[in-house]
Amino acid sequence: MVFIPRLLAAVGFLFGLTLAQQDLLAFQDGISEYKLADTVTAPEIWVSAGDFPAVIRTARDLTLDFGRVVGVNGTLKEFDQLPGSPNGTAPIIIAGAVGHSTLIDKLVDAGKIDVSEIDGKWESYTTALVEHVTSSIPWALVVAGSDKRGTVYGLYDISQRIGVSPWHWWADVPPKTKTGIWVRNARKVQGPPSIKYRGFFINDEAPALTGWAEKNFGLTPSGRPFNSEFYKLVFELCLRLRANYIWPAMWGSAFYVDDEANGRLADEYGVVVGTSHHEPMARSEREQQQEVEGNWDWIDNKEEITEFFEGGVERAKNWETMYTLGMRGSGDAASPTLTADSLVEIISVQQSLLEDILNKNLTDIPQTWVLYKEVGRYYQSGMKVPESVTLLWTDDNVGNLLRTPLANETDRQGGAGVYYHFDYVGSPRNYKWINTIQLVKTWEQMQLAYEKGAREIWIANIGDIKPLEIPTSHFLDMAYDMSNHADPDSTTKWIHQWAAAEFEERIAERTVQILSTYGKLILRRKYELLSRKPFAYSVAYYDEAEAVLAEWTDLLNLAQSTYNSLPQSTRTPFFEMVLHPVLAGKTVVELYIKAELNLWRHRQRRTSTNQLATDVQNLFLEDQAITSRYHSLKNGKWDRMMTQTHIGYDNWQEPAENTIPTLLYHGEDNVPKSGIMGVSVQGSNFSFPGDPVPTLLPMDPYMPSSEQRYLDIFTRNNGSFSYSIASSEPYVTISNSAGTLSTTENISDIRSIIKVDWNAAPAGSTEVGLKVAPSNAPGSWPITFNLPVNKRSVPSGFSGYVESGGVVAIEAEHYNKHEEKNDLYYVVIPHYGRTLSGVKLWPVTADSQSPDTAPKLTYTFHTFTELEKARLLVFLGATLNHDPSRVLRYAFSIDGGAPVIVQPVPTTPMGSEPSGWTDAVIAGGWTSASTIELSNGSHTLDLWILEPGVVVQRLVVDVGGYRQTSLGPPESTHLG
Ligand SMILES: *[C@@H]1O[C@H](CO)[C@@H](O)[C@H](O)[C@H]1NC(C)=O
Ligand SMILES: *[C@@H]1O[C@H](CO)[C@@H](O)[C@H](O)[C@H]1NC(C)=O
Ligand SMILES: *[C@@H]1O[C@H](CO)[C@@H](O)[C@H](O)[C@H]1NC(C)=O
């Protein structure tokens, strides 16, 4: 009873209220009397001379950040003791780490600040307005960190709040200038971060980052571009993003060797340095090749390699280091000789070296073992790993977790973590050109990892840094404070806040739309995979290729108009981070779609084949122009950053240069004998007359609104002709039912869209003839196409989805009924996946379920076709079996029948990909098919998701009309 008033007194009275962080500072007059800065005065920042160099350095950055925002730099002052009085009238910020700052300790001792909530915690801080600091210091803004980085983040938090972006240098985000900054009488407490070690890996860094760095920083004596001037910018970015850990660039580079200042500076900045999964003991791969006498092979060369390990620890011992343990083969590959037993021995030798040289308890030495690729197999085969080592699980290199901590692994002292990819070199194809990440997919996987207890380390491969600003920010913001990312719509909210902070609130919602759509479009197929055959998007069915191109075009229009609405200063960062990937991406997608249409039209013998070839060549040049535009930004600041090749992949490895896809030309030899007039229909690459005439794809009253039936009339030779189309029945009409085509007037193709008047059409199935007759077309003759017209009707009162064209397609979020059961329910993840969203069992900590225990989703649909073997296709996310004892499963039942349990992703030993993986990652998701029995009529489909890792996007019932495409049929018509 007593403690409640005391708590109130402590928190409410003495120290002001604890407010949300954005409320501590105000930017308008009249809110607070405590003015921190204006256009003529910036604060003094007082630190203890004995505090961590990282704290003093960051305080200096903050003085400059005031200069960026109000036009007057702050002043950094170092003291041995807290001065009793200031020399001038400037406002004062006092900053320091508890126990390392005489200034802060004095304030704590005097009861001026309360650090009880942060004391002894990892990377935490409290920021508060303190009144009556001394008799002659009326007030100060005080930042007290629990440790070195807690203080650093507290200082950078002020930077960010006053308007300096973490990307101010790396993405040219201008400061949000202010005329005044005030402090409220309030207090903020932050930390510890959700993930203890959070950071990024600079990787696959040639040619872009390497070329750029060489131009800007020259070469070190070892001939490499990544010197300490480069790394200072990286460290600052890392800390401003509230991360603390990096794996430095490593292909050909050796962080500690190329510039001897690198290691020391990282420590001074407060950045923890590690090495990648195949570079144990703080030594780079280049050193493995250059410094080890004999083979990089433990069995062969133990002594030499042990000495090599020892050298790594000796060199890094005075700096904060995360030691990567274990070993792989040479050059990021599996070793042919390593066994689980030898790995146990290696780790034991490594740990003895660490204990001896660092003279510390192993539990106090950050160490990780990366279970990358084949390494996971040693673990799965029962290898024992010491408790003090963090198990670093990985994704499949394409953003799908291979493993999360199991229930019996969560209380290991060293804990677990995740190594995740936003960039990759390897199969099925590299992706290292521009951003290809769906943010909400990252959220879905990392939220799962977090809830499953992978909280010790999160590290993302961010390639060349630059093109991956947004995925990097998103990943590190989650790692810093997962409480802001607890809900399925948190990614949408995050984009809004991010865009408001980097650009302006006015365009935040549009940026949500742009980035969400971009994520959806890019998840369908990465750029590097567009050269693969068969082509990603169907030209034959559902007008898929054209529809995808239209979505990209709309997206570009939105991004471009948003860009146009911005002032000049924010256009540059908006271009770098948002418009460029959309523009460059759309150009490449259009290039490939038009190249595919070129081949298709050549087969149809259209004269417009050649226009498409020209279009593709122009798009190829346009791609180069976009690269040049990027390179000329900011007077060439980012020159060479976009030199990564990306067009013309023919295997997993990048092409030596961009190459234009194969194009065909319609010349004399391709002109058919059957005359100038050509007609084509959906579903066929033939042209008529000449080729055998197919029946048109059927029409019915329930066709999805986006689906059309049409005839394309076109020229097959130079010249002109007229045509008319006559329908055998008055209830079928056609647009452009007569016209003239002329190659000299550049009218080579006309699309005639078929319409059915369903009120007038007779019930049941009929065939209607559409006769296309040429005139003034020597050698051409009329041709009649038969259109099946199926007038059907669902029973009145039916509510649900209706079959059309032999399929029923339903977006998973469009269920009729949603059950909540045993505290479990389903959530919709907006913008997840390839079409609309994803549906997931919630919370993700749920145990394995059965159809008896799990809540149920119910869908209703109506079919007209009776088929002995119909199919249910379930379109899922690309998630994998991340818990070997709990494979992904869902169950379904038709019309209340016995539930059928489906395992969509085959089981596989750790370290190898399940069969079907390549297709699934290329397509951005798994599709699982089950045979079902279905009479015609109205049906219910019940769905149970039995493991929280399953994300369902769409359901398709195939009663014989399903066409193989990338995205499947458009969503069916819903009645009722
Ligand atoms: C702040 O100091 C830096 C470093 O000395 C200087 O380059 C910059 O121009 C100063 N800014 C202002 C607004 O005076
Ligand atoms: C005031 O100025 C004196 C003399 O330059 C200096 O020694 C002292 O540290 C200054 N005190 C403060 C609070 O700036
Ligand atoms: C190391 O620390 C652990 C956990 O605090 C403790 O149990 C163990 O006794 C320590 N070992 C040594 C050698 O000090």
Side-chain angles (χ1 to χ4, degrees):
M1 280 297 120
V2 201
F3 78 94
I4 294 171
R6 230 180 58 204
L7 197 81
L8 279 179
V11 176
F13 260 73
L14 194 49
F15 302 111
L17 288 169
T18 305
L19 294 178
Q21 48 194 29
Q22 54 269 34
D23 297 330
L24 190 59
L25 299 177
F27 307 109
Q28 283 156 7
D29 205 354
I31 293 172
S32 166
E33 63 199 90
Y34 306 101
K35 192 197 256 186
L36 192 60
D38 59 25
T39 55
V40 289
T41 315
E44 292 184 358
I45 304 179
W46 292 7
V47 295
S48 163
D51 209 329
F52 295 104
V55 168
I56 298 172
R57 197 209 61 80
T58 309
R60 188 172 298 116
D61 261 9
L62 181 58
T63 65
L64 303 181
D65 288 345
F66 275 100
R68 293 178 172 116
V69 173
V70 294
V72 191
N73 280 335
T75 313
L76 180 68
K77 290 193 165 177
E78 296 178 43
F79 300 105
D80 292 327
Q81 296 298 331
L82 184 67
S85 60
N87 282 353
T89 56
I92 296 163
I93 296 175
I94 303 173
V98 176
H100 295 268
S101 163
T102 49
L103 278 54
I104 293 297
D105 291 351
K106 180 73 187 285
L107 294 175
V108 174
D109 290 347
K112 299 284 179 188
I113 51 168
D114 176 9
V115 294
S116 60
E117 287 153 285
I118 60 151
D119 202 12
K121 291 194 178 150
W122 180 257
E123 296 179 356
S124 304
Y125 65 87
T126 177
T127 306
L129 183 116
V130 173
E131 294 181 284
H132 315 299
V133 179
T134 66
S135 53
S136 38
I137 304 177
W139 68 275
L141 179 63
V142 176
V143 181
S146 62
D147 53 20
K148 166 168 72 174
R149 276 186 298 273
T151 320
V152 167
Y153 300 139
L155 288 163
Y156 274 147
D157 182 57
I158 298 174
S159 293
Q160 220 167 323
R161 301 288 149 199
I162 63 176
V164 177
S165 162
W167 295 100
H168 75 98
W169 194 89
W170 279 95
D172 304 306
V173 179
K176 287 194 158 45
T177 56
K178 306 268 176 336
T179 53
I181 300 170
W182 289 263
V183 186
R184 281 187 235 240
N185 196 349
R187 166 171 185 264
K188 163 181 182 178
V189 178
Q190 177 74 42
S194 303
I195 307 302
K196 190 168 182 187
Y197 292 99
R198 319 164 295 285
F200 52 79
F201 177 21
I202 304 170
N203 195 218
D204 307 328
E205 55 270 17
L209 187 70
T210 308
W212 172 83
E214 178 176 345
K215 184 177 172 196
N216 288 282
F217 305 102
L219 293 178
T220 65
S222 51
R224 299 302 302 167
F226 301 121
N227 65 11
S228 54
E229 292 308 308
F230 165 79
Y231 273 111
K232 282 180 189 173
L233 293 164
V234 172
F235 301 150
E236 185 189 325
L237 175 69
C238 175
L239 295 167
R240 282 187 188 264
L241 288 169
R242 301 174 303 185
N244 60 8
Y245 178 41
I246 67 160
W247 290 355
M250 51 73 49
W251 286 115
S253 291
F255 178 78
Y256 295 105
V257 178
D258 290 332
D259 183 340
E260 282 181 9
N262 283 345
R264 176 178 53 78
L265 275 167
D267 196 62
E268 276 177 29
Y269 271 71
V271 171
V272 183
V273 176
T275 40
S276 74
H277 51 88
H278 55 116
E279 301 177 300
M281 301 298 269
R283 299 204 79 162
S284 67
E285 185 193 84
R286 197 182 80 209
E287 290 180 277
Q288 290 169 19
Q289 289 157 2
Q290 294 182 347
E291 303 298 320
V292 177
E293 294 265 337
N295 290 337
W296 180 249
D297 181 318
W298 180 253
I299 312 291
D300 244 27
N301 204 6
K302 263 180 220 182
E303 251 170 65
E304 183 66 31
I305 291 173
T306 304
E307 215 171 285
F308 176 78
F309 288 159
E310 191 177 344
V313 188
E314 279 293 348
R315 182 173 60 195
K317 69 181 174 191
N318 295 322
W319 307 323
E320 214 179 339
T321 305
M322 167 77 70
Y323 292 93
T324 296
L325 303 192
M327 209 172 152
R328 291 188 72 209
S330 224
D332 193 8
S335 156
T337 57
L338 272 185
T339 61
D341 285 345
S342 51
L343 259 175
V344 168
E345 184 184 47
I346 291 167
I347 289 179
S348 148
V349 167
Q350 291 170 331
Q351 287 207 314
S352 314
L353 289 171
L354 289 172
E355 256 182 320
D356 291 353
I357 300 169
L358 304 178
N359 199 19
K360 277 191 199 162
N361 192 327
L362 277 174
T363 57
D364 297 329
I365 303 172
Q367 309 151 61
T368 185
W369 184 44
V370 194
L371 292 116
Y372 186 70
K373 289 194 174 169
E374 82 289 349
V375 178
R377 267 177 249 152
Y378 302 113
Y379 182 78
Q380 192 167 3
S381 67
M383 179 180 155
K384 292 275 171 290
V385 190
E387 278 274 312
S388 50
V389 180
T390 304
L391 296 176
L392 195 60
W393 300 108
T394 71
D395 66 356
D396 60 352
N397 300 308
V398 202
N400 310 299
L401 298 177
L402 291 174
R403 183 74 150 66
T404 54
L406 309 186
N408 63 358
E409 288 168 350
T410 48
D411 52 5
R412 302 181 67 260
Q413 184 258 321
V418 176
Y419 167 38
Y420 200 74
H421 288 78
F422 295 139
D423 167 290
Y424 179 57
V425 166
S427 181
R429 291 226 168 137
N430 297 355
Y431 55 101
K432 44 186 282 209
W433 172 44
I434 56 176
N435 176 12
T436 62
I437 301 307
Q438 181 173 64
L439 298 174
V440 70
K441 173 184 163 171
T442 309
W443 170 82
E444 190 276 329
Q445 289 285 277
M446 297 314 293
Q447 193 264 351
L448 183 74
Y450 177 77
E451 291 296 334
K452 297 277 182 181
R455 299 184 182 184
E456 192 73 12
I457 301 175
W458 282 13
I459 187 154
N461 186 328
I462 63 163
D464 296 305
I465 303 176
K466 187 69 189 115
L468 293 170
E469 297 99 337
I470 298 175
T472 303
S473 275
H474 179 231
F475 182 84
L476 294 174
D477 277 0
M478 282 193 284
Y480 186 66
D481 191 351
M482 199 64 201
S483 71
N484 298 326
H485 299 264
D487 304 319
D489 65 348
S490 52
T491 309
T492 314
K493 288 184 186 145
W494 179 86
I495 299 172
H496 186 110
Q497 282 163 10
W498 177 85
E502 303 297 318
F503 312 118
E504 50 182 288
E505 176 65 36
R506 185 180 57 81
I507 65 152
E509 213 36 54
R510 267 185 277 173
T511 309
V512 170
Q513 217 183 319
I514 295 165
L515 294 182
S516 303
T517 307
Y518 183 76
K520 178 173 82 177
L521 298 186
I522 192 58
L523 187 81
R524 294 172 179 176
R525 199 66 46 116
K526 290 188 192 280
Y527 306 110
E528 294 79 358
L529 284 156
L530 287 168
S531 54
R532 215 164 164 269
K533 299 289 173 186
F535 183 57
Y537 303 112
S538 174
V539 174
Y541 297 112
Y542 311 126
D543 300 326
E544 187 174 57
E546 290 175 39
V548 167
L549 180 54
E551 284 180 272
W552 275 98
T553 305
D554 290 348
L555 171 63
L556 177 57
N557 289 340
L558 179 64
Q560 184 66 54
S561 66
T562 308
Y563 171 90
N564 294 346
S565 79
L566 288 168
Q568 204 57 49
S569 60
T570 39
R571 282 186 180 189
T572 304
F574 188 84
F575 177 80
E576 291 174 28
M577 296 191 278
V578 182
L579 179 58
H580 174 264
V582 173
L583 175 64
K586 185 253 182 187
T587 304
V588 167
V589 171
E590 184 173 3
L591 176 144
Y592 278 110
I593 287 179
K594 293 215 160 138
E596 184 68 14
L597 286 170
N598 164 267
L599 304 184
W600 183 262
R601 288 197 179 183
H602 183 265
R603 176 66 189 77
Q604 294 178 334
R605 302 165 186 262
R606 300 196 195 200
T607 55
S608 57
T609 303
N610 297 355
Q611 182 56 48
L612 282 164
T614 307
D615 289 350
V616 171
Q617 277 160 337
N618 288 338
L619 288 159
F620 190 75
L621 297 177
E622 174 68 12
D623 172 75
Q624 291 169 7
I626 295 166
T627 299
S628 304
R629 178 176 170 192
Y630 195 108
H631 286 169
S632 65
L633 290 171
K634 290 275 183 187
N635 297 320
K637 180 176 173 184
W638 301 114
D639 189 22
R640 305 189 186 179
M641 198 50 111
M642 279 297 145
T643 43
Q644 178 60 56
T645 57
H646 50 277
I647 304 175
Y649 270 76
D650 60 10
N651 67 90
W652 66 266
Q653 185 60 288
E654 67 209 35
E657 55 186 1
N658 289 331
T659 44
I660 210 156
T662 304
L663 296 172
L664 294 177
Y665 290 85
H666 178 74
E668 279 304 315
D669 58 331
N670 202 40
V671 173
K673 293 195 175 60
S674 48
I676 184 172
M677 181 186 82
V679 184
S680 74
V681 304
Q682 284 155 309
S684 164
N685 63 0
F686 286 170
S687 92
F688 321 98
D691 289 327
V693 179
T695 303
L696 297 177
L697 293 176
M699 293 186 76
D700 64 60
Y702 303 109
M703 282 170 66
S705 58
S706 62
E707 240 193 300
Q708 292 181 335
R709 297 282 178 263
Y710 52 76
L711 299 174
D712 277 351
I713 322 288
F714 49 86
T715 50
R716 302 196 289 192
N717 200 354
N718 290 334
S720 68
F721 71 94
S722 299
Y723 72 91
S724 62
I725 309 174
S727 165
S728 67
E729 299 295 341
Y731 53 85
V732 172
T733 54
I734 190 155
S735 71
N736 296 323
S737 61
T740 301
L741 292 90
S742 160
T743 49
T744 51
E745 285 175 50
N746 224 1
I747 306 171
S748 312
D749 306 81
I750 292 180
R751 179 159 290 183
S752 294
I753 295 163
I754 304 167
K755 285 260 177 316
V756 178
D757 176 354
W758 292 108
N759 290 323
S765 296
T766 47
E767 278 206 351
V768 175
L770 292 167
K771 181 175 177 186
V772 186
S775 52
N776 304 324
S780 291
W781 60 86
I783 173 163
T784 300
F785 295 91
N786 285 327
L787 172 74
V789 173
N790 301 320
K791 182 171 171 183
R792 308 152 149 177
S793 51
V794 297
S796 66
F798 169 78
S799 163
Y801 288 89
V802 185
E803 179 210 326
S804 169
V807 290
V808 187
I810 309 172
E811 293 291 340
E813 74 164 66
H814 293 155
Y815 45 76
N816 284 48
K817 263 196 312 208
H818 171 197
E819 209 179 36
E820 183 169 344
K821 195 167 166 184
N822 301 329
D823 293 327
L824 300 178
Y825 52 101
Y826 292 103
V827 292
V828 173
I829 310 172
H831 308 296
Y832 177 94
R834 295 170 286 188
T835 47
L836 180 67
S837 58
V839 169
K840 192 172 179 175
L841 183 65
W842 204 258
V844 300
T845 46
D847 285 335
S848 294
Q849 301 296 315
S850 72
D852 289 334
T853 58
K856 182 169 77 179
L857 289 167
T858 304
Y859 301 84
T860 52
F861 64 96
H862 188 92
T863 57
F864 302 101
T865 314
E866 191 149 5
L867 200 70
E868 205 165 297
K869 282 208 160 71
R871 294 191 305 162
L872 172 68
L873 294 105
V874 179
F875 288 54
L876 301 146
T879 53
L880 299 171
N881 294 318
H882 48 83
D883 180 337
S885 64
R886 294 177 59 177
V887 293
L888 303 185
R889 286 171 312 130
Y890 64 84
F892 71 87
S893 138
I894 306 278
D895 299 331
V900 176
I901 294 178
V902 181
Q903 178 189 334
V905 182
T907 311
T908 182
M910 268 228 62
S912 49
E913 288 114 9
S915 77
W917 174 84
T918 303
D919 288 340
V921 298
I922 288 172
W926 295 85
T927 303
S928 70
S930 309
T931 304
I932 54 175
E933 271 178 40
L934 208 63
S935 54
N936 55 3
S938 300
H939 303 281
T940 58
L941 164 62
D942 292 330
L943 184 76
W944 298 265
I945 295 180
L946 304 178
E947 287 289 348
V950 175
V951 193
V952 180
Q953 298 176 27
R954 312 186 85 200
L955 304 161
V956 177
V957 177
D958 171 20
V959 284
Y962 185 80
R963 311 289 181 174
Q964 191 57 49
T965 54
S966 185
L967 305 172
E971 189 170 29
S972 299
T973 299
H974 185 268
L975 297 182

